[in-house]
Amino acid sequence: MITCLKGKLIQKTPTSIIVDVSGIGYLLNISMNTFENLPNLDSDLFIYTEMIVREDSITLYGFYSENERQLFKLLISVSGIGPKSGIGILSGISLTEFKSAILLANTTLLQKLPGVGKKTAERLVVELKDKFSHISLQGVDNKTESNEILEDATLALVSLGYNNSIATKAVKSALNQINTDNYTSEQLIKLALKFTLK
């Protein structure tokens, strides 16, 4: 199983790249998120990979981060989502926005992604929500503004139609009401929604 490659980037398009590793060129399918994080051609590149073996093919998929690869693996574990659909979903939304959409059960946003209809959106929420709900605020105090959990909550509110200023204030107000570090993203988002009504 090939899990990563380190070599020279010799070709790139928004959907695929070729990496030269000791004279062997590896073709990898990629998302737009990965494409936007690529260096210039002829630069050294380290990239995470996932190898999908089928009866008639062996295909490599490349990811700029381990987080994106893990999300890809979660996506293709969902019934009806194949590797191509998984890459399409990753190309249409950031990891943080996708996670927020799942935690909020925002099927309207999910349906805007390539190849995702109403039933698929509902299936994504049902099958992935529990896998994201373990995310907590461990080690975060009320003055922390750059934590990923806060960004998740803010982006979630923005995706629901609130402007960034209102979303940011609501998340900060919600965080000030939390007296423990064991809150999940979902709980913070729900609390922040109450402050958008004030």
Side-chain angles (χ1 to χ4, degrees), residues 130-168:
D130 287 344
K131 296 177 181 179
F132 288 156
S133 63
H134 69 280
I135 301 167
S136 70
L137 288 168
Q138 293 179 355
V140 180
D141 62 35
N142 289 347
K143 296 182 180 179
T144 302
E145 298 181 359
S146 60
N147 185 268
E148 182 182 2
I149 302 300
L150 305 186
E151 293 175 1
D152 284 356
T154 303
L155 284 172
L157 295 184
V158 171
S159 73
L160 290 174
Y162 298 101
N163 66 47
N164 190 67
S165 177
I166 291 175
T168 300

Side-chain angles (χ1 to χ4, degrees), residues 76-137:
I76 63 176
S77 73
V78 175
S79 176
I81 302 291
K84 289 184 179 180
S85 296
I87 288 292
I89 290 171
L90 292 174
S91 294
I93 193 169
S94 73
L95 275 64
T96 301
E97 289 172 326
F98 181 80
K99 187 163 54 179
S100 297
I102 294 296
L103 291 172
L104 275 174
N106 189 349
T107 55
T108 300
L109 176 60
L110 294 174
Q111 287 179 66
K112 295 179 181 179
L113 299 173
V116 178
K118 182 178 180 181
K119 290 184 178 179
T120 301
E122 292 172 347
R123 194 180 305 122
L124 283 167
V125 170
V126 170
E127 297 192 28
L128 297 182
K129 195 168 187 178
D130 287 344
K131 296 177 181 179
F132 288 156
S133 63
H134 69 280
I135 301 167
S136 70
L137 288 168

Side-chain angles (χ1 to χ4, degrees), residues 2-179:
I2 300 174
T3 59
C4 62
L5 291 174
K6 185 177 182 180
K8 191 174 293 292
L9 180 64
I10 61 174
Q11 181 177 310
K12 65 176 179 177
T13 73
T15 58
S16 66
I17 60 173
I18 296 178
V19 182
D20 183 336
V21 181
S22 301
I24 300 175
Y26 291 86
L27 174 66
L28 294 86
N29 294 314
I30 61 170
S31 70
M32 278 300 300
N33 282 328
T34 289
F35 177 75
E36 291 170 356
N37 283 277
L38 291 173
N40 295 326
L41 290 177
D42 296 322
S43 297
D44 290 334
L45 175 70
F46 176 87
I47 192 162
Y48 296 94
T49 63
E50 187 68 18
M51 186 168 69
I52 305 294
V53 180
R54 299 284 188 256
E55 289 185 3
D56 58 348
S57 66
I58 298 176
T59 307
L60 275 175
Y61 294 85
F63 310 94
Y64 75 96
S65 71
E66 176 63 16
N67 284 336
E68 189 186 37
R69 179 171 68 172
Q70 290 303 320
L71 180 52
F72 175 77
K73 292 170 71 172
L74 284 177
L75 285 170
I76 63 176
S77 73
V78 175
S79 176
I81 302 291
K84 289 184 179 180
S85 296
I87 288 292
I89 290 171
L90 292 174
S91 294
I93 193 169
S94 73
L95 275 64
T96 301
E97 289 172 326
F98 181 80
K99 187 163 54 179
S100 297
I102 294 296
L103 291 172
L104 275 174
N106 189 349
T107 55
T108 300
L109 176 60
L110 294 174
Q111 287 179 66
K112 295 179 181 179
L113 299 173
V116 178
K118 182 178 180 181
K119 290 184 178 179
T120 301
E122 292 172 347
R123 194 180 305 122
L124 283 167
V125 170
V126 170
E127 297 192 28
L128 297 182
K129 195 168 187 178
D130 287 344
K131 296 177 181 179
F132 288 156
S133 63
H134 69 280
I135 301 167
S136 70
L137 288 168
Q138 293 179 355
V140 180
D141 62 35
N142 289 347
K143 296 182 180 179
T144 302
E145 298 181 359
S146 60
N147 185 268
E148 182 182 2
I149 302 300
L150 305 186
E151 293 175 1
D152 284 356
T154 303
L155 284 172
L157 295 184
V158 171
S159 73
L160 290 174
Y162 298 101
N163 66 47
N164 190 67
S165 177
I166 291 175
T168 300
K169 289 179 181 178
V171 170
K172 287 182 179 179
S173 296
L175 193 59
N176 286 330
Q177 297 297 312
I178 295 176
N179 297 316

